[in-house]
Amino acid sequence: LISCRNLLIYLQPVLQKKALELFNFSLNPEGLMVLGTSETTGEASDYFESLHPKWKIYRSRGRRRPARDRYHGSEVPYYPKTVSTGGESQSGRGRAYRQHQQEWMLNRLLQSLADDYLPVTIVVNEHLEIVHIVGDTRDFFRLPSGKMDNDVVKMSVRELAIPLATGLQRVFQSGKEVNYANIRIQSDDSGKTFNLRIKPIPGKRGQTPLSVIFLKSVDARSNQKEIEEAQSFDIGKEAQQRITDLEQELQFSKENLQATIEELETSNEELQATNEELLASNEELQSTNEELHSVNEELYTVNAEYQRKIIELTELNNDIGNLLNSTRIGTLFLDENLEIRKFTPEIGAVYNITDNDIGRPIDHLNHRLQFDDPVKTMKKVHTTGRPFEKEVQNLEGKYFLMRILPYEIGPESWSGLVLTFIDIDPMKEAQRKSEINRKNLKETARLAKIGRWEYDPASGVQTWSEEVFHIHELPFDRQPAPEEGIEFYAETSRPIIRKAFDAVLHHGTPYDLILELVTAKGNHRYVRAIGRAETVNGRVVKVYGAFQDVTQIREMQSALRESEKQYRMLFEKMLNGFALHKIVVDEAGRPVDYVFLEVNAAFEEMTGLKREEVLNRKASDVIPGILEDSFDWIGEFGKVALGGDSVRFEKFSEPLNRWYSIMVYSPEKNHFVTIFEDVAKHRRAEKD
């Protein structure tokens, strides 16, 4: 059984035909098919027998769609299903092929017998459609004009149409053979007489009913027995019988039409009632549509508001995401079950975490902290609501400021935690360096005997550093007032420091003074007092400065001045010439000249060159022939200046026309000292 109701009306004819062919293929022989009340089998009517026209119930005739045989080009039945014959199973395609072979042999046999033994023979089905023709039918049939129709009655000549129609109807209704004799057919300006014989073809159940028509010419040689057996065709009687049959069919059609009209009237009344109901429903739907339109406008407004909120939430989420990423702070959000909700990439320095870990409990992850049990601390913060903060290190020794805060959702209520890990390694390194610098500065201040002091005019409080107390030889028990500090200066220095302090305090005028100080233990020292002012809008808000013990420096300066005086006197009284030079090199680092930096009086006397003529000048400018001298003065001096060795030699200076004993050594890189001794007197003495 196949039920397909009210589907085919929505398909094009091509698709309808395809669907009906598939239905025919799927149904067993005599299987039922039910269509919709507005649907028919159409071009597939050969495959189905109508059982109930009103309710569109059909029965399969068991026919199959012809398929083109690939070898012989003829149409053969196609049976795709497996059928059983005599207890043995065989495929429908094999059976169809064998059946085709049989029909092919029969067709050859009929063609061979047609001319000698058979009259004109036509096979038709119950729809009066020609199935097969044997013999020449040019005298009996013509192709009708208009749409192609395979109806044997419509294709037959006028004289043959009535006997064919009457005889075929009797044969298909009664199943008995019909014979007509002496049918006169006009052909080629001459008439011929034929006997008509219509015989049903026996068939099996489910096969299409077929009949065969024989048209045999009547002549002198015809068998008298056949003529006697054949019923002489009385056109008047047959026409009357035909008219009676047509009147019965017309009466039946009228009754069917009347029943149909009554059904249509009933259906029309039902349709009118239905139409009234539809009108009422339409009014209700119209009212509902207006309400829905109003609701739709409200929904549109709400949707627009939601869209705006979604955009705002998206922008806010993006802002928060960018803010978290821009802070470069490792952040981890946990829910009320301490399961991961969100995190920033920087948390990877503390936890081995990926996007797939979202939703997992935090105690399932391994941390990289030098910390006993961070999960225990998290649970404590989540229970108590008190934040936790501590400096921690990861396994690589990097410092982080760990903060565990409750995730607040309202006043005095929280749900979950927020963990932040701030990278303070640079700050710790800066602290270490600052501590080292502070200690170094303190030690430097102690060694250099330099202290720092500040004075706040608003509060009148003066602050001394530790070294200032050392210089005054005071204990660190209290900070003295400015006037008290001035009392430690000597009588001659007090007015000076008081005036300078008042100037910096009221006018911001800085000072830098060397004054005499009397310590708390009565020791006299010289100190350097420096004062500066910090101003805001022209008003002094702070005075600060430095305090340095320069007693030893003054003593050393005095000693240095004395030493310099003695050195200068010795330098000028030296009998040997002395000169300090700086070597000049080219881009390749080779010595090309040297510059005079200092000479003494003996140098002036021995060389005839005055100090003001040679200082800060090149040797090539002072002694023009030195570069052309056969002796490489600059090369020898350069070896000493660049290599740091010392050398002593005697040499005759052609530019100066004298013999010298020259001692050359390098006090520092790129510099050298020459000590000249005139040996001309010794050589004259040796010569004499």
Side-chain angles (χ1 to χ4, degrees):
L1 172 66
I2 291 178
S3 176
C4 177
R5 298 178 60 79
N6 300 325
L7 168 67
L8 300 179
I9 58 176
Y10 297 105
L11 304 181
Q12 295 293 333
V14 176
L15 292 179
Q16 291 181 8
K17 181 179 179 182
K18 182 66 176 176
L20 289 169
E21 288 178 352
L22 292 175
F23 293 165
N24 177 58
F25 171 77
S26 302
L27 277 174
N28 292 326
E30 297 187 358
L32 300 180
M33 179 178 69
V34 183
L35 301 180
T37 56
S38 300
E39 297 170 336
T40 63
T41 56
E43 296 182 7
S45 59
D46 292 344
Y47 300 132
F48 301 100
E49 177 185 359
S50 177
L51 297 183
H52 201 297
K54 179 179 180 180
W55 299 114
K56 305 296 182 180
I57 301 175
Y58 300 89
R59 180 168 58 196
S60 173
R61 299 181 186 273
R63 300 178 183 177
R64 295 294 180 260
R65 178 176 59 86
R68 180 68 60 181
D69 183 78
R70 69 178 66 180
Y71 301 107
H72 306 287
S74 62
E75 293 185 351
V76 299
Y78 172 50
Y79 297 91
K81 298 182 179 179
T82 300
V83 298
S84 177
T85 304
E88 296 181 357
S89 177
Q90 56 182 354
S91 67
R93 185 178 294 274
R95 178 183 175 186
Y97 179 73
R98 285 191 294 272
Q99 184 175 353
H100 163 68
Q101 292 288 356
Q102 296 173 2
E103 291 181 356
W104 181 62
M105 287 191 303
L106 291 175
N107 188 39
R108 292 178 60 186
L109 178 61
L110 289 173
Q111 293 297 334
S112 63
L113 298 176
D115 296 334
D116 298 331
Y117 300 102
L118 294 179
V120 176
T121 305
I122 303 98
V123 179
V124 296
N125 59 17
E126 61 180 343
H127 299 291
L128 306 185
E129 295 175 343
I130 298 175
V131 176
H132 197 87
I133 298 175
V134 178
D136 188 2
T137 60
R138 286 178 294 178
D139 296 334
F140 310 107
F141 299 100
R142 302 287 187 272
L143 289 177
S145 61
K147 183 179 179 182
M148 182 60 189
D149 195 345
N150 201 24
D151 192 313
V152 68
V153 176
K154 295 181 180 179
M155 295 176 66
S156 62
V157 296
R158 179 174 55 81
E159 297 87 348
L160 193 58
I162 294 177
L164 272 179
T166 304
L168 287 172
Q169 185 177 5
R170 288 183 179 180
V171 169
F172 281 115
Q173 288 180 355
S174 63
K176 296 180 180 180
E177 181 179 339
V178 174
N179 292 308
Y180 295 112
N182 299 321
I183 299 175
R184 184 76 175 174
I185 298 177
Q186 198 72 23
S187 175
D188 298 332
D189 299 331
S190 63
K192 292 183 180 180
T193 303
F194 292 89
N195 291 337
L196 173 63
R197 181 184 178 189
I198 304 174
K199 182 179 180 180
I201 298 178
K204 296 181 180 180
R205 184 178 181 181
Q207 291 183 344
T208 303
L210 298 175
S211 295
V212 59
I213 303 170
F214 298 100
L215 290 170
K216 187 175 181 181
S217 177
V218 178
D219 52 18
R221 296 176 297 172
S222 298
N223 191 342
Q224 185 64 29
K225 183 179 180 180
E226 292 179 357
I227 298 174
E228 293 176 354
E229 291 178 354
Q231 179 183 357
S232 180
F233 180 71
D234 186 352
I235 188 168
K237 182 180 179 181
E238 295 300 328
Q240 183 63 34
Q241 181 63 36
R242 179 63 173 166
I243 292 170
T244 303
D245 293 339
L246 291 176
E247 287 177 351
Q248 291 178 352
E249 292 181 3
L250 179 59
Q251 182 64 28
F252 180 73
S253 299
K254 288 181 178 181
E255 293 175 357
N256 286 340
L257 180 59
Q258 183 62 32
T260 304
I261 292 173
E262 293 175 357
E263 292 177 358
L264 288 175
E265 290 176 352
T266 304
S267 299
N268 188 35
E269 293 176 358
E270 294 176 354
L271 288 174
Q272 289 180 353
T274 304
N275 187 38
E276 294 176 356
E277 294 177 358
L278 288 175
L279 289 175
S281 299
N282 188 36
E283 294 177 356
E284 294 178 359
L285 288 175
Q286 183 67 25
S287 176
T288 304
N289 186 39
E290 294 176 357
E291 295 177 359
L292 288 176
H293 184 71
S294 176
V295 172
N296 187 42
E297 292 179 352
E298 295 178 0
L299 289 175
Y300 181 79
T301 304
V302 173
N303 185 47
E305 184 68 19
Y306 282 160
Q307 289 292 336
R308 187 177 64 82
K309 292 294 183 182
I310 289 172
I311 294 173
E312 292 178 358
L313 288 174
T314 302
E315 292 177 350
L316 182 60
N317 188 45
N318 292 336
D319 293 342
I320 293 175
N322 284 279
L323 176 62
L324 290 175
N325 293 331
S326 64
T327 58
R328 301 296 181 184
I329 296 175
T331 308
L332 180 62
F333 295 89
L334 305 178
D335 61 13
E336 63 275 6
N337 298 320
L338 299 187
E339 295 176 350
I340 300 170
R341 290 181 54 237
K342 189 183 294 185
F343 62 89
T344 59
E346 287 74 14
I347 201 68
V350 179
Y351 280 95
N352 297 322
I353 188 171
T354 64
D355 292 338
N356 295 329
D357 294 322
I358 293 178
R360 293 180 59 190
I362 188 63
D363 54 2
H364 287 190
L365 300 182
N366 295 326
H367 63 82
R368 302 168 61 190
L369 295 174
Q370 299 179 20
F371 194 71
D372 294 337
D373 191 1
V375 177
K376 182 178 179 181
T377 306
M378 296 177 198
K379 292 180 179 178
K380 183 178 180 181
V381 172
H382 190 256
T383 303
T384 61
R386 290 194 293 270
F388 176 82
E389 181 176 311
K390 185 179 182 180
E391 292 183 2
V392 295
Q393 285 181 283
N394 63 3
L395 298 180
E396 290 79 16
K398 197 172 184 179
Y399 278 92
F400 293 90
L401 177 61
M402 180 178 72
R403 288 175 178 167
I404 305 177
L405 306 172
Y407 188 94
E408 296 184 358
I409 58 175
E412 300 298 328
S413 61
W414 59 88
S415 177
L417 297 175
V418 179
L419 281 73
T420 60
F421 293 87
I422 304 174
D423 183 5
I424 60 172
D425 204 58
M427 185 180 70
K428 296 294 289 186
E429 182 65 23
Q431 286 180 350
R432 288 192 292 270
K433 291 181 179 180
S434 177
E435 183 64 21
I436 293 173
N437 292 337
R438 189 186 67 80
K439 292 180 179 179
N440 292 338
L441 182 60
K442 183 178 180 180
E443 184 66 17
T444 301
R446 186 185 67 80
L447 294 175
K449 296 183 178 181
I450 299 176
R452 190 177 188 280
W453 61 271
E454 290 184 3
Y455 175 71
D456 184 6
S459 62
V461 176
Q462 180 173 261
T463 304
W464 284 0
S465 68
E466 184 177 339
E467 190 58 32
V468 177
F469 283 97
H470 281 301
I471 295 173
H472 286 80
E473 295 183 335
L474 286 173
F476 304 146
D477 55 352
R478 65 181 182 86
Q479 294 284 350
E483 189 61 33
E484 185 178 357
I486 292 175
E487 294 298 325
F488 283 94
Y489 287 92
E491 291 289 341
T492 55
S493 299
R494 289 176 190 172
I496 299 174
I497 188 62
R498 184 176 287 110
K499 181 179 179 181
F501 185 78
D502 290 342
V504 71
L505 179 62
H506 297 96
H507 306 290
T509 305
Y511 64 85
D512 188 348
L513 304 171
I514 303 294
L515 303 173
E516 186 179 358
L517 183 75
V518 181
T519 68
K521 295 181 179 181
N523 297 319
H524 287 262
R525 294 180 177 178
Y526 284 93
V527 296
R528 182 182 180 185
I530 301 174
R532 297 288 186 271
E534 181 179 329
T535 60
V536 176
N537 298 327
R539 183 173 61 87
V540 177
V541 296
K542 184 172 71 172
V543 179
Y544 61 94
F547 204 76
Q548 182 181 12
D549 185 355
V550 296
T551 303
Q552 293 182 355
I553 296 177
R554 285 178 63 87
E555 292 174 354
M556 291 175 62
Q557 287 176 347
S558 178
L560 285 174
R561 283 194 295 271
E562 185 65 26
S563 297
E564 185 181 1
K565 182 178 179 181
Q566 294 177 2
Y567 164 77
R568 178 57 62 180
M569 182 178 66
L570 178 62
F571 183 74
E572 296 296 336
K573 297 296 184 181
M574 284 179 62
L575 298 177
N576 295 333
F578 178 89
L580 175 64
H581 309 278
K582 179 180 179 182
I583 199 71
V584 179
V585 298
D586 60 9
E587 294 180 355
R590 294 172 297 192
V592 295
D593 211 332
Y594 58 88
V595 177
F596 289 88
L597 299 180
E598 184 63 80
V599 297
N600 65 351
F603 177 87
E604 292 180 316
E605 180 183 356
M606 295 172 64
T607 62
L609 300 174
K610 299 300 180 181
R611 177 182 297 173
E612 60 272 12
E613 296 176 354
V614 300
L615 290 184
N616 299 319
R617 297 183 63 188
K618 293 181 179 180
S620 57
D621 296 333
V622 176
I623 310 174
I626 193 170
L627 297 179
E628 289 78 18
D629 199 328
S630 60
F631 181 73
D632 187 9
W633 296 89
I634 295 176
E636 292 297 326
F637 293 158
K639 291 179 182 179
V640 175
L642 298 177
D645 298 330
S646 61
V647 64
R648 184 183 183 92
F649 56 88
E650 290 185 1
K651 194 67 179 174
F652 179 77
S653 174
E654 295 179 0
L656 300 177
N657 196 25
R658 288 191 180 188
W659 280 93
Y660 292 100
S661 174
I662 305 174
M663 173 67 179
V664 185
Y665 68 94
S666 175
E668 59 179 307
K669 188 172 179 61
N670 296 332
H671 292 75
F672 66 95
V673 172
T674 55
I675 299 177
F676 295 86
E677 182 180 0
D678 189 355
V679 296
K681 296 179 180 180
H682 297 289
R683 287 185 173 274
R684 284 194 296 270
E686 291 175 356
K687 186 177 181 180
D688 294 341

